């Protein structure tokens, strides 16, 4: 669906002083498959919005190559680009609705621009509004809607021309946690039912964990980590990624290290994934290897629809190597922390 290679984008006039030039994208390569939900996470200024806007050429890169939905966007003329953009929808943090137009007129807007026959527009708008849970709200004005409802209008408008790809720029950042979940669930449903590929940018790992299949971590215009969400979330490699995960888990590694300083024994971190998460493995391993263990920290949650658990335990006595082997045999990832 998307194939980016070595994309660079600088802001600043060609002959301005080096300190006035901002390198927003510094050699980005990545690909997104059809039907995939792909997250891009990064701090403020990392280049997320710039990258998203490159994907529909609202922003032209200085160099690099860019294929979206089977087309080399950089080679298209204006008319071709307009038609290519009908296959790429976009939603925004602040919804970007036209306040002087009704909900129905907002959703109809891209259809009018695409010269749809007038008699087909109203039925299409009704279908779209029903899909996003706003049937019979078409007569209202944006100011009469809640933030969550406004974003639903934004989504209906983005889907109007039947795109294969939806770009989301911090689409839930202006919403409360409950509304955020509802909108993310709607996006996940559209992904499943329409096979819509979604690229969403965010600064919250929770958003990534809830609906993304893969994620790229952006820092200073570069991809510093990329992979399946479960892998990146459970085994973050880069310091920036680790900080995002710790924020999402509301833990502070330094605090924990201090807390554990006085705990005797070896410290292990165990990671369970899938249905295994709910099995009574630890008790069995302790009995068979004669170890004693205390649980220092733990959580059980889901990444998209896959359950996972991560436990930090202190182990004393018994056959530690044997216990590690038994755990590994059962598909539990074991890391020795101390
Ligand atoms: N039109 C522009 N002109 C000049 N500099 C820009 C422009 N747009 C972005 N930048 C700069 O490029 C860098 C990346 O900006 P970008 O908006 O892509 O970051 P972001 O990751 O989306 O941040 P945020 O989370 O705050 O939205 C920043 O240093 C920003 O100041
Ligand atoms: Mg941004």
């Amino acid at each position: 669906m998307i194939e980016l290679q070595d994309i660079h984008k600088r802001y600043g006039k060609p002959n301005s002083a080096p300190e006035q030039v901002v390198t927003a994208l510094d050699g980005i390569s990545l690909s997104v498959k059809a039907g995939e939900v792909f997250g891009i996470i990064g701090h403020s200024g990392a280049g997320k919005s710039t990258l998203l806007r490159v994907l529909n050429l609202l922003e032209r890169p200085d160099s690099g190559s860019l294929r979206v939905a089977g087309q080399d966007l950089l080679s298209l003329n204006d008319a071709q680009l307009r038609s290519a953009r009908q296959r790429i929808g976009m939603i925004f943090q602040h919804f970007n609705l036209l306040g002087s137009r009704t909900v129905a007129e907002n959703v109809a807007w891209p259809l009018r621009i695409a010269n749809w026959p007038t008699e087909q527009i109203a039925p299409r708008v009704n279908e779209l509004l029903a899909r996003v849970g706003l049937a019979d709200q078409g007569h209202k004005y944006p100011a009469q809607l809640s933030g969550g409802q406004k974003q639903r209008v934004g989504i209906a408008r983005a889907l109007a021309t039947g795109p294969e790809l939806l770009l989301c720029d911090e689409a839930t950042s202006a919403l409360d946690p409950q509304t955020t979940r509802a909108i993310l669930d709607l996006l996940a449903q559209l992904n499943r039912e329409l096979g819509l590929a979604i690229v969403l940018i965010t600064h919250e790992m929770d958003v990534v964990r809830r609906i993304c299949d893969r994620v790229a971590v952006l820092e200073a215009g570069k991809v510093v980590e990329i992979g399946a969400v479960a892998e990146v979330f459970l085994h973050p490699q880069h310091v920036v990624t680790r900080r995002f995960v710790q924020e999402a888990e509301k833990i502070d590694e330094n605090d924990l290290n201090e807390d554990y300083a006085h705990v005797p024994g070896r410290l292990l971190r165990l990671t369970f994934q899938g249905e295994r998460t709910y099995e009574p493995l630890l008790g069995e391993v302790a009995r068979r290897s004669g170890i004693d263990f205390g649980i220092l920290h733990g959580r059980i949650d889901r990444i998209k629809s896959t359950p996972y658990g991560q436990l930090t335990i202190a182990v004393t006595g018994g056959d530690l190597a044997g216990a590690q082997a038994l755990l590994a045999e059962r598909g539990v990832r074991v890391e020795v922390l101390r």
Side-chain angles (χ1 to χ4, degrees), residues 21-325:
V21 176
V22 177
T23 302
L25 300 178
D26 194 7
I28 303 275
S29 301
L30 56 82
S31 60
V32 175
K33 298 180 204 111
E36 185 170 45
V37 184
F38 190 91
I40 297 170
I41 190 168
H43 290 117
S44 190
K48 304 182 296 294
S49 296
T50 306
L51 177 56
L52 203 70
R53 292 162 58 82
V54 161
L55 296 179
N56 56 8
L57 282 199
L58 286 178
E59 204 76 74
R60 236 168 219 282
D62 300 327
S63 61
S65 72
L66 167 64
R67 289 187 74 80
V68 180
Q71 279 182 299
D72 174 4
L73 292 192
L74 292 168
S75 71
L76 303 182
N77 64 30
D78 285 354
Q80 290 168 323
L81 185 58
R82 269 197 301 280
S83 118
R85 282 200 183 118
Q86 291 180 18
R87 300 163 68 189
I88 311 172
M90 189 163 183
I91 58 173
F92 307 87
Q93 178 173 3
H94 297 293
F95 325 122
N96 294 16
L97 302 178
L98 297 168
S100 60
R101 312 243 172 182
T102 63
V103 164
E105 286 164 350
N106 268 279
V107 176
W109 190 248
L111 299 174
R112 293 195 197 290
I113 292 185
N115 291 320
W116 270 46
T118 314
E119 70 280 5
Q120 287 178 20
I121 291 183
R124 175 69 177 156
V125 167
N126 288 338
E127 176 196 335
L128 289 159
L129 288 177
R131 193 165 258 296
V132 300
L134 289 180
D136 47 76
Q137 305 283 320
H139 61 285
K140 289 192 176 165
Y141 284 86
Q144 297 171 293
L145 302 179
S146 69
Q149 289 173 320
K150 283 182 201 165
Q151 194 56 291
R152 286 172 191 271
V153 178
I155 293 170
R157 181 183 56 185
L159 295 180
T161 53
E164 297 149 65
L165 171 65
L166 179 66
L167 307 176
C168 312
D169 189 346
E170 300 275 3
T172 57
S173 296
L175 305 174
D176 64 48
Q178 206 179 336
T179 311
T180 292
R181 278 197 295 278
I183 293 294
L184 292 178
D185 289 349
L186 173 61
L187 292 176
Q189 184 189 347
L190 295 170
N191 164 254
R192 275 195 313 273
E193 292 176 1
L194 305 177
L196 184 70
I198 298 178
V199 175
L200 64 87
I201 65 177
T202 179
H203 56 268
E204 289 173 287
M205 204 61 182
D206 263 336
V207 168
V208 170
R209 175 169 63 177
R210 197 164 177 93
I211 68 163
C212 293
D213 300 305
R214 287 196 305 141
V215 61
V217 183
L218 209 61
E219 173 77 357
K222 288 190 159 79
V223 173
V224 296
E225 190 158 354
I226 186 166
V229 171
E231 194 53 33
V232 170
F233 193 81
L234 294 174
H235 306 288
Q237 302 298 316
H238 194 277
V239 57
V240 173
T241 320
R242 278 210 288 277
R243 240 180 281 133
F244 277 118
V245 172
Q246 287 172 17
E247 255 168 51
E249 301 289 2
K250 296 173 185 64
I251 53 173
D252 183 324
E253 221 160 59
N254 294 329
D255 282 357
L256 290 184
N257 290 340
E258 228 168 87
D259 291 350
Y260 301 159
H262 308 293
V263 177
R266 305 296 297 268
L267 293 194
L268 306 184
R269 180 161 54 212
L270 312 181
T271 306
F272 308 79
Q273 256 177 278
E275 289 311 313
R276 181 133 297 160
T277 306
Y278 303 129
E279 288 173 12
L281 273 180
L282 258 185
E284 185 201 327
V285 168
R287 270 196 308 282
R288 286 177 58 185
S289 59
I291 60 163
D292 273 322
F293 68 90
I295 296 176
L296 304 181
H297 186 265
R299 53 193 152 104
I300 292 180
D301 213 319
R302 278 172 180 274
I303 293 171
K304 209 162 183 184
S305 54
T306 309
Y308 75 93
Q310 211 161 38
L311 288 181
T312 304
I313 60 173
V315 179
T316 49
D319 172 12
L320 178 65
Q324 276 180 255

